[in-house]
Amino acid sequence: MADPDRWFEVTITDGAGRRVRVPGLAAWLRRVAPPTVRGAVAIALVSDARIRALNRAYRGKDTATDVLSFPTDDEPRIPGRRPPAAGRRPVGDIAIATGVARRQARAEGHSYATELKVLALHGLLHLLGYDHDDPGDAGRMARVERRLRARGGLSSGLIERTS
């Protein structure tokens, strides 16, 4: 049974603020997210060139990456986030590179829709403060990702691929 007090919204845009229909992605992420998550997440599906520019500007890496997360401690980095209802705060923004996602899906032998789930979950965990690149993480993010992936029916995750 769903918790009536839980408010967790996921919107998906094209990176210019226009809503994009990606059947099942928002509902899936709401279902697998940790039950303590409250707020709004905006996912932008962007070009490889756009994510490269974001990666260069915010991480100093001049390359296209698959997913970037921007917690809401600053201004929105991705156009299209709607202001949340009064008293509810945004969790943050996730940018996913569509070209990279399609190539990774082919390489992994699964669908583009599955790859979007893998990347959205990974991005959400970064928004929640997990950081697999931080030595102090000690595998915590990987364990949480594994548990949530299992809940959502995904056989592999991003951290496992890069380990």
Side-chain angles (χ1 to χ4, degrees):
M1 175 183 235
D3 177 355
D5 295 327
R6 182 173 185 208
W7 181 80
F8 178 43
E9 177 183 70
V10 178
T11 57
I12 304 170
T13 71
D14 63 0
R18 294 179 297 262
R19 290 273 186 132
V20 175
R21 188 164 141 58
V22 181
L25 179 60
W28 180 87
L29 190 59
R30 285 192 307 271
R31 183 172 58 80
V32 301
T36 55
V37 176
R38 305 275 190 284
V41 169
I43 298 175
L45 303 179
V46 301
S47 69
D48 290 5
R50 176 73 174 127
I51 210 154
R52 180 179 181 172
L54 289 167
N55 204 20
R56 183 176 45 246
Y58 294 105
R59 296 180 65 222
K61 297 183 178 190
D62 190 17
T63 184
T65 189
D66 47 12
V67 61
L68 291 172
S69 298
F70 301 102
T72 324
D73 52 355
D74 336 83
E75 288 299 308
R77 305 274 172 52
I78 307 298
R81 181 195 307 148
R82 294 182 307 163
R88 296 181 170 164
R89 71 174 197 85
V91 176
D93 301 329
I94 299 169
I96 296 175
T98 57
V100 174
R102 288 182 195 286
R103 289 189 298 278
Q104 288 178 178
R106 277 192 300 274
E108 292 299 314
H110 57 230
S111 69
Y112 175 62
T114 295
E115 187 66 14
L116 290 178
K117 289 176 182 177
V118 168
L119 297 175
L121 177 59
H122 190 83
L124 176 64
L125 291 176
H126 277 299
L127 291 180
L128 298 177
Y130 293 96
D131 186 358
H132 55 95
D133 289 327
D134 180 347
D137 176 73
R140 201 167 126 239
M141 182 175 176
R143 288 187 299 277
V144 172
E145 185 179 83
R146 191 175 318 117
R147 186 181 80 244
L148 298 177
R149 266 192 308 102
R151 182 187 301 168
L154 294 178
S155 60
S156 68
L158 200 54
I159 296 173
E160 288 177 339
R161 283 189 223 161
T162 59
S163 298

